Amino acid sequence: MFRYLSNPFICRTTLNSFGSIRFYPTRRFCTTPNITIPSLTTMDEKPVYKRDISFTICTFNILSPCYNANETFDGYMSRNKKIIEDVILPTTPDILCLQEFQLSDAPKLGELYDTALSPLYDFSSLQRTGKKKDGLVIYTLKTRIRVQKSTLLKFFDPGNRVALMLELTLDGCVPLIAANVHLTFPHNIFDEKLRLTQIVQVTKTINDQLSIKGEKEKFPVIIAGDFNSPLHPLLKTDPVVDHLEFDQYINTFYLGRDKKDKPVTHFNHNREENSADHIWFKNYGSSPFDLQCVESLLLPVELPPHKWPSSLTWTLSDHRPLLSKFLVSVPKK
């Protein structure tokens, strides 16, 4: 059992082969004897105070059985039961982003998650294109979060990748966008260009959605998922990271840590250790909502973050879950 942090209509979007986007169809006065002193606010304004609301988000690639040929039915059912019992329920994140969730040809697996999580969570999903069986899922805690709008982004590229974005309201007062991504694995330089194109389309879609809002109506954004790190020796930096940082996104894991000290979140099919799973966040302009990450942990916390654990200590996936805790400052009038 892991130590965990405390937990305090649909717009369909597709990309054609040219990368374009289609949308288919929320003066007071203080008196003392003989003295009248105006406050800093005008008569028709109220003093503005701030209060902090905390929430958690977790991203986890759970390894679809369709990519694990040696795993039996009983094996993947048992493994996913442990994912639910040992990772999801003990942490109970307010937002849970899963990748490689098998959405077709695995009804028993769907029933397993539905039985365990439907009392607690609302479920949003998007299957990959090109007859792929897996896809993306976002679970949102029913007691705290309402889904206002879903954006289903389909790239229709050789990687058959997709992105799922939800416009949410937290605790009835905090607007937020949460996006779940699973970028193309970088087998070669061409795949690296695909990865960059995919994340650019994600951030562009988010920017386009927020651009129609007034400056004080904008709100924070979180992008979580499996970004698949670059492995090509000619690449000195990750173009996806370069783009996100240029667009002023912040990586939660590196807050208070050295960027050279990368976490090992994935042991890939080439038997290579790499840092693939991340949570990025951004505050927009003069938004009254200020989002800050206060802690980010690779689970289970008992295992070191900079080395892939042995098969004796971690068997639930070829990825490790990443959990981040946020505080958002909310204006209170």
Side-chain angles (χ1 to χ4, degrees), residues 8-259:
F9 200 156
I10 288 180
C11 171
R12 294 184 179 272
T13 308
T14 64
L15 299 182
N16 61 26
S17 58
F18 298 98
S20 61
I21 304 176
R22 290 182 187 171
F23 291 89
Y24 296 83
T26 325
R27 195 167 312 248
R28 180 190 305 176
F29 291 87
C30 175
T31 61
T32 59
N34 303 320
I35 301 176
T36 302
I37 305 174
S39 71
L40 295 178
T41 57
T42 61
M43 287 286 291
D44 55 352
E45 289 180 324
K46 296 180 180 179
V48 178
Y49 304 92
K50 294 268 188 176
R51 62 190 178 101
D52 290 337
I53 293 178
S54 66
F55 68 95
T56 55
I57 180 169
C58 179
T59 181
F60 189 18
N61 183 322
I62 61 173
L63 181 58
S64 172
C66 64
Y67 302 127
N68 195 359
N70 296 324
E71 191 172 39
T72 65
F73 172 84
D74 289 340
Y76 79 70
M77 289 296 289
S78 175
R79 178 171 61 83
N80 279 273
K81 184 179 179 181
K82 289 181 180 179
I83 288 174
I84 295 170
E85 294 177 347
D86 293 353
V87 177
I88 299 175
L89 292 180
T91 59
T92 319
D94 299 289
I95 304 170
L96 174 64
C97 298
L98 300 180
Q99 304 86 43
E100 290 195 23
F101 191 103
Q102 188 151 333
L103 294 165
S104 64
D105 295 343
K108 293 296 182 180
L109 185 62
E111 290 175 9
L112 176 67
Y113 277 84
D114 185 61
T115 299
L117 300 184
S118 61
L120 297 173
Y121 289 96
D122 288 320
F123 172 88
S124 303
S125 67
L126 178 59
Q127 189 167 342
R128 291 173 63 188
T129 57
K131 299 181 180 180
K132 296 290 185 180
K133 297 179 180 180
D134 67 305
L136 304 173
V137 165
I138 301 180
Y139 285 98
T140 50
L141 201 63
K142 290 181 177 181
T143 56
R144 302 195 66 193
I145 297 173
R146 182 180 297 275
V147 178
Q148 305 292 350
K149 178 181 178 181
S150 302
T151 301
L152 314 181
L153 185 58
K154 300 181 180 182
F155 302 115
F156 290 115
D157 59 17
N160 296 302
R161 300 292 175 169
V162 295
L164 175 60
M165 290 171 276
L166 303 182
E167 189 171 312
L168 309 171
T169 301
L170 172 68
D171 290 347
C173 62
V174 181
L176 178 74
I177 287 180
N180 187 6
V181 302
H182 186 187
L183 305 185
T184 290
F185 185 87
H187 296 94
N188 49 51
I189 278 292
F190 176 76
D191 288 340
E192 284 297 348
K193 293 179 179 179
L194 275 182
R195 288 179 67 243
L196 180 57
T197 299
Q198 290 161 2
I199 198 63
V200 167
Q201 294 296 345
V202 170
T203 57
K204 182 181 184 302
T205 302
I206 292 171
N207 289 338
D208 288 347
Q209 289 183 0
L210 291 177
S211 67
I212 63 176
K213 300 179 182 294
E215 280 301 309
K216 293 187 177 180
E217 294 177 322
K218 291 182 171 63
F219 40 79
V221 175
I222 297 175
I223 304 177
D226 179 359
F227 292 79
N228 270 317
S229 297
L231 302 173
H232 200 281
L234 295 179
L235 290 173
K236 295 182 179 180
T237 60
D238 184 345
V240 170
V241 171
D242 292 343
H243 170 73
L244 287 167
E245 291 183 338
F246 179 80
D247 205 22
Q248 301 181 340
Y249 282 86
I250 299 171
N251 189 304
T252 63
F253 190 83
Y254 294 128
L255 289 171
R257 296 183 174 102
D258 190 335
K259 286 188 177 182

